[in-house]
Amino acid sequence: MKRFFALLLAVLLLTVSAFAEGTTSYELFSGWEKNGSYPDYVTGVFYNTETGKLSFLLTENTAERQRELTAGLTDADGLTYYQGEYSHKELADVQKELEAAGQEGVLAVRIGWSAVTGGFGTEGKDFRVVVTAADESAEALTEFCREQWGDKVKVDKESAVKAAEEEKAEQTEPLPTEKKGLSNWAIIGIVAVCLVGLIFGLNQVSKARRR
């Protein structure tokens, strides 16, 4: 009986340990950002306020790609996916080229949504390289970017960006960088304590029956 309980404890601890060591979607996204290792079929990632989880923009938004992306994730349920036009690498390359061009009036360059008009594409969720430009330079920059990179770049006037940010300041939610909760070892420790208590109790019952 003792051997059986010991074996049961070992199996359950191994199961819990394997589960606790899984990767979350936040950790996956953070790794891409840190290492610059976005897959070729990913445009970007954003926090979806409607679901309370991350959403992924995929240039190949198919069931196969979604399964490939979520394989091994512990929080795959509830993740959502949208169509992306360009890969993150394409947009990052454009951002670098634009910054290196040294055009007058460029105040900021980033990948994401326009603060003025929102997301892009038919679903209104897609990313582009977004430029914040001094008002007097916006028209010339728009023409330059259109000739160089087509619709991969969106130019916003500084005054329009400020007005939009003031209007939406109280409505926007930041992208969580980490999902708080019990650590993996804490989960394992709790389960282990419960199992030890269960085994002790069953041993006591077994002894009482033998008396």
Side-chain angles (χ1 to χ4, degrees), residues 130-179:
V130 180
V131 180
T132 301
D135 286 16
E136 64 274 13
S137 304
E139 186 175 346
L141 274 171
T142 298
E143 185 63 28
F144 171 78
C145 292
R146 184 184 296 115
E147 292 177 354
Q148 295 292 319
W149 303 290
D151 71 341
K152 294 180 182 178
V153 179
K154 171 68 165 62
V155 178
D156 289 334
K157 290 183 178 181
E158 180 185 18
S159 59
V161 171
K162 288 182 177 180
E165 289 177 345
E166 290 175 0
E167 182 179 348
K168 298 176 182 178
E170 297 181 357
Q171 303 174 11
T172 57
E173 295 185 29
L175 176 67
T177 56
E178 181 180 358
K179 192 173 183 180

Side-chain angles (χ1 to χ4, degrees), residues 52-168:
K53 289 196 171 187
L54 297 185
S55 288
F56 293 81
L57 290 163
L58 307 180
T59 59
E60 300 175 35
N61 191 17
T62 63
E64 181 181 359
R65 283 303 194 190
Q66 292 175 14
R67 286 193 297 270
E68 180 180 342
L69 181 69
T70 58
L73 294 183
T74 59
D75 60 345
D77 293 342
L79 299 179
T80 47
Y81 309 89
Y82 296 92
Q83 183 64 43
E85 182 69 19
Y86 306 106
S87 70
H88 186 272
K89 183 182 184 304
E90 287 181 274
L91 296 181
D93 287 344
V94 169
Q95 180 180 9
K96 291 177 183 177
E97 292 172 9
L98 201 160
E99 291 172 335
Q103 290 292 302
E104 184 178 352
V106 176
L107 303 178
V109 184
R110 60 183 177 80
I111 297 173
W113 296 340
S114 164
V116 179
T117 58
F120 304 90
T122 57
E123 297 172 298
K125 304 293 186 182
D126 205 1
F127 286 0
R128 292 292 187 272
V129 177
V130 180
V131 180
T132 301
D135 286 16
E136 64 274 13
S137 304
E139 186 175 346
L141 274 171
T142 298
E143 185 63 28
F144 171 78
C145 292
R146 184 184 296 115
E147 292 177 354
Q148 295 292 319
W149 303 290
D151 71 341
K152 294 180 182 178
V153 179
K154 171 68 165 62
V155 178
D156 289 334
K157 290 183 178 181
E158 180 185 18
S159 59
V161 171
K162 288 182 177 180
E165 289 177 345
E166 290 175 0
E167 182 179 348
K168 298 176 182 178

Side-chain angles (χ1 to χ4, degrees), residues 39-56:
D40 291 339
Y41 59 89
V42 175
T43 296
V45 184
F46 65 92
Y47 177 67
N48 194 321
T49 57
E50 295 179 359
T51 64
K53 289 196 171 187
L54 297 185
S55 288
F56 293 81

Side-chain angles (χ1 to χ4, degrees), residues 31-45:
W32 292 347
E33 280 286 294
K34 181 179 180 181
N35 303 317
S37 56
Y38 278 82
D40 291 339
Y41 59 89
V42 175
T43 296
V45 184

Side-chain angles (χ1 to χ4, degrees), residues 1-2 4-6 8-9 12 190-206:
M1 182 66 74
K2 289 182 179 180
F4 170 76
F5 286 132
L8 175 63
L9 175 60
L12 288 175
I190 292 172
V191 173
V193 170
C194 293
L195 289 173
V196 170
L198 175 62
I199 291 172
F200 177 79
L202 291 174
N203 278 333
Q204 292 298 106
V205 172
S206 178

